[in-house]
């Protein structure tokens, strides 16, 4: 499942965007929605990988039996999405470049699996080295 | 400023949508973006009042000097948005119909002003009485 999120992240990178991807799966492992950070491409700060995948999956009655997979641990915004909608399981490619809200989610009873993928870590860390200003903007640490 | 959010909520109601509105203001009180819940109108579960206003404001370098005003206390998803992007001040019309993450935000050092507006309380509570299923879906409490 991480491969789908990784493919989205790489697609984002090829578009000149921030390389973070995600996908939402149903209980049978079928893809409901896949997406990527599109802050740069769409000039839209609300599109993180997770919110994009969530949106593209359309309206669902419940998320208890769903799994969201993302190349990077969800930030507070995306962790809040998981908590509010009660997404049953979260699988993250890595949590080295951003720890986000995964401890908070675990403390609230959510299942979070951290795959510690070297490919995910390397892809994003090298991008951050080259784009520190854009990265700061994306996680709300930009300067006025 | 609440009037802008209320006007958005009423517009949403007139469109057959969930009546919650929001707006983002700069330090001088100028509107950067205004929006409303458009789950029904756009068939998009990611558009809450706050995320719509945030999105329509476009990319900002920093949110420290910004104020978000919403007719209803932000849910976890929207509280996560506030926390991740460090929006300086949150003004809510009411927190009776949903308490959301306002205590969590206050505990994290955010300024949250609750106006306890009867108009906001009545508008949403009467809508929830008439639309319990849609409301449950919007706050992630729908049944499978």
């Amino acid at each position: 499942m991480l491969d789908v999120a990784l493919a989205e992240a790489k697609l984002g990178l090829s578009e000149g965007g921030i390389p973070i991807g995600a996908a939402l799966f149903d209980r049978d492992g079928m893809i409901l929605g896949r997406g990527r950070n599109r802050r740069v491409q769409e000039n839209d700060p609300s599109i993180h990988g997770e919110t994009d995948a969530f949106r593209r999956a359309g309206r669902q009655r419940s998320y208890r039996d769903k799994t969201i997979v993302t190349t990077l641990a969800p930030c507070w915004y995306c962790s809040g999405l998981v908590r509010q909608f009660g997404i049953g399981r979260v699988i993250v490619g890595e949590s080295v470049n951003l720890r986000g809200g995964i401890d908070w989610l675990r403390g609230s009873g959510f299942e979070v699996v951290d795959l510690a993928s070297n490919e995910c870590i390397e892809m994003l860390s090298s991008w951050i080295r080259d784009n520190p200003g854009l990265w700061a903007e994306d996680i709300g640490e930009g300067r006025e």
Side-chain angles (χ1 to χ4, degrees), chain A residues 65-124:
Chain A
D65 59 347
K66 310 294 188 292
T67 296
I68 193 161
V69 183
T70 169
T71 55
L72 176 68
C75 74
W76 287 115
Y77 170 41
C78 298
S79 295
L81 177 86
V82 169
R83 179 159 173 175
Q84 187 65 46
F85 292 99
I87 299 175
R89 190 165 54 152
V90 181
I91 299 176
V92 307
E94 60 114 344
S95 61
V96 174
N97 287 300
L98 185 80
R99 184 88 191 149
I102 66 177
D103 298 317
W104 179 68
L105 285 174
R106 283 175 174 152
S108 305
F110 286 81
E111 181 184 353
V112 181
V113 179
D114 187 344
L115 299 176
S117 153
N118 281 326
E119 186 176 2
C120 289
I121 296 170
E122 286 305 320
M123 179 183 59
L124 186 59

